[in-house]
Amino acid sequence: MKFSLSTNWCNRTIESGEEIADKAIELGFEELELGFHTTQAQVKGFKARLDRIPVGSVHAFCPVPLSAPQGYPELYQLANPDEDGRRIARFHVVKNVEFAAEMGAATVVLHAGRVPSDGFGHCFGWDKRGAVERRTKRGAKFVEILKTELELLQPVLEHHRVTLALENLPYLEGFPNESELKAVAGEWVKGWFDTGHDYVRQQHGWKTSELAEELMVGMHIQDSCGEDDHLPPGEGKIDFAALKGLAARMRHLVLEPSHAVKADALRKGLDFIRKTWS
């Protein structure tokens, strides 16, 4: 198995792309995922290290758009009921696909959007099932919106040979959920599985179906104690041994630690996951 490091771990503390790449190599990683905190200035350094550590994936929106004050994965939402909002999101997704191709990356990871909750995201206890049902019913409109957008993006994805991977998100409003992904996936549109996000969804009872493993192209590897923790593997409560079969199917295996994780802890986490999945 080949493991990648999300540059979100240190994009905000190390200014040089070369230095980030060198640090990843030193820690034992074989690829990079350029995270949504990547700056325009850092890109040149990553390009200079492509012969030593390639870029496997890019997490939208990357590099940080000049119009944005900082990096954030939901600056723009492709599944947006507002037509102007969708047009802006489509523009930036195309830019990310072109950037991924330029960097030799096979995949762009995307947060597609959120279904407005009007309060159902905070329903617990006896009404939890009802909250999930209301969320799923409301999401039907967003499925049709996203299908249309993905049809428009299809020629761009195919031309650049880049897959768009829609990530599972750690809140009830997150779109698409497990069932909705099956309705929108296609040849150049797949799913992206985040271990921590999935754990949060399990804990809250928000999962709508079993994971469609055949639709997944990549994985963010982070441990969790019940929140969106981004801990190194082995420091939380996730049963990574149970994910060994799924991991074996993935093109991308990306550790995505919090920026607060120390290098030694990250090194131990990488060693833990290698041993667990060997």
Side-chain angles (χ1 to χ4, degrees), residues 171-183:
Y171 26 83
L172 182 56
E173 299 91 337
F175 178 86
N177 62 26
E178 295 80 9
S179 302
E180 292 159 345
L181 176 63
K182 298 174 184 178

Side-chain angles (χ1 to χ4, degrees), residues 8 15 51 84 93 99 134 139 149-150 167 174 181 199 206 222-223 242 258 260 275-276:
N8 273 352
E15 294 184 4
D51 60 335
D84 289 338
V93 170
F99 175 66
R134 289 194 296 275
E149 288 300 316
L150 294 175
E167 185 171 359
L181 176 63
Y199 185 74
W206 293 338
Q222 53 142 323
D223 214 337
S258 161
K275 290 179 179 178
T276 302

Side-chain angles (χ1 to χ4, degrees), residues 53-67:
I53 184 165
V55 174
S57 53
V58 170
H59 196 316
F61 295 92
C62 171
V64 178
L66 295 175
S67 58

Side-chain angles (χ1 to χ4, degrees), residues 238-249:
I238 294 176
D239 181 4
F240 283 100
L243 296 173
K244 181 177 179 179
L246 175 62
R249 302 176 64 127

Side-chain angles (χ1 to χ4, degrees), residues 63-84:
V64 178
L66 295 175
S67 58
Q70 62 184 18
Y72 185 62
E74 294 169 31
L75 287 170
Y76 318 102
Q77 298 186 15
L78 201 59
N80 188 334
D82 179 72
E83 184 177 352
D84 289 338

Side-chain angles (χ1 to χ4, degrees), residues 205-272:
W206 293 338
K207 295 188 70 170
T208 57
S209 69
E210 291 300 315
L211 184 69
E213 295 187 7
E214 72 280 2
L215 298 180
M216 299 295 153
V217 71
M219 177 186 288
H220 279 151
I221 303 165
Q222 53 142 323
D223 214 337
S224 172
C225 290
E227 303 295 335
D228 193 13
D229 299 343
H230 290 266
L231 301 172
E235 290 193 7
K237 298 180 179 179
I238 294 176
D239 181 4
F240 283 100
L243 296 173
K244 181 177 179 179
L246 175 62
R249 302 176 64 127
M250 297 296 100
R251 160 62 182 86
H252 307 280
L253 294 171
V254 183
L255 269 72
E256 193 185 40
S258 161
H259 64 88
V261 172
K262 302 299 183 184
D264 285 346
L266 179 53
R267 195 191 308 271
K268 290 178 182 177
L270 178 58
D271 185 56
F272 169 84

Side-chain angles (χ1 to χ4, degrees), residues 125-134 205:
W126 64 271
D127 197 32
K128 187 180 296 183
R129 179 175 295 180
V132 173
E133 289 175 353
R134 289 194 296 275

